[in-house]
Amino acid sequence: MKKNILFFAGLLLLVSCDLSNKSQNTFSVSETDSKNYENFGEKVSPKNIHDKNSIAEQYESLKEGDTVAITFSSTVNDVCKVKGCWMKVTLGNDKEAMIKFKDYGFFVPMDIENDTVIVQGKAYISEVSVDEQRHLASDAGKTNEEIASITTAKKTYSFIADGVLIKD
């Protein structure tokens, strides 16, 4: 009986520590502040938004084939100059994530580099082929020399967004 009580007390302590750690890495956007954002795709929940450092830690724990449903805020590094069909955002630890949009169902403006965004969807790890990297480099307006220098597949932090908020 004492062992059970100690076990459950320890379990409760671990769970409460884990929950308190998660709340430190999230924030919410108030209804008033949410009016400063333009919504693309599905409506984005203004609660439990992770910061870019927190999402970088989440990616570090993922293996290929894993996915995590999450909402996070970051800054746009690059965006498709052809249609706005993808964007790259900064993460902590000098990393970035490639954001694509669910079912190719919406696009973002092509002039949002350095803007603050909140993305909602699924994070995962993927390997990007040489052909796809070259296609993305072409979309981003890279030179022929830069495109030709892409010769190996690479592991990337990827994200399928079902909704995006862009700060006005």
Side-chain angles (χ1 to χ4, degrees):
M1 182 71 170
K2 287 182 183 180
K3 288 182 182 180
N4 287 341
I5 292 173
L6 287 175
F7 172 76
F8 286 113
L11 184 62
L12 181 62
L13 179 64
L14 285 174
V15 169
S16 65
C17 287
D18 189 40
L19 290 174
S20 66
N21 187 30
K22 287 181 182 179
S23 67
Q24 293 173 356
N25 295 325
T26 64
F27 64 95
S28 296
V29 176
S30 71
E31 190 172 322
T32 307
D33 289 339
S34 69
K35 292 178 183 174
N36 296 326
Y37 288 86
E38 187 173 354
N39 198 92
F40 295 85
E42 294 179 17
K43 186 175 179 180
V44 176
S45 171
K47 300 195 186 318
N48 295 325
I49 300 168
H50 292 258
D51 65 20
K52 62 187 174 189
N53 295 319
S54 172
I55 189 67
E57 292 170 12
Q58 293 272 348
Y59 272 113
E60 293 294 328
S61 67
L62 292 176
K63 295 183 254 57
E64 196 163 344
D66 292 346
T67 60
V68 174
I70 198 161
T71 303
F72 73 97
S73 176
S74 189
T75 305
V76 178
N77 287 343
D78 201 4
V79 65
C80 174
K81 302 293 188 246
V82 177
K83 295 184 208 175
C85 60
W86 57 262
M87 65 183 168
K88 292 181 181 178
V89 299
T90 187
L91 300 176
N93 304 331
D94 295 322
K95 307 270 186 196
E96 68 180 8
M98 168 60 90
I99 312 294
K100 294 186 179 178
F101 309 113
K102 184 178 176 185
D103 299 329
Y104 212 56
F106 63 96
F107 304 114
V108 294
M110 295 173 281
D111 62 349
I112 60 169
E113 288 171 347
N114 300 314
D115 286 359
T116 299
V117 295
I118 297 173
V119 294
Q120 175 178 281
K122 292 187 178 163
Y124 62 98
I125 302 287
S126 67
E127 186 170 295
V128 181
S129 70
V130 171
D131 288 340
E132 181 157 354
Q133 288 180 69
R134 288 180 174 175
H135 172 79
L136 295 171
S138 175
D139 282 355
K142 302 291 183 189
T143 66
N144 288 336
E145 292 79 27
E146 290 173 307
I147 294 169
S149 71
I150 300 170
T151 58
T152 58
K154 71 175 186 177
K155 180 177 147 179
T156 63
Y157 295 153
S158 300
F159 196 91
I160 294 292
D162 50 38
V164 175
L165 292 174
I166 300 174
K167 192 166 190 175
D168 293 337

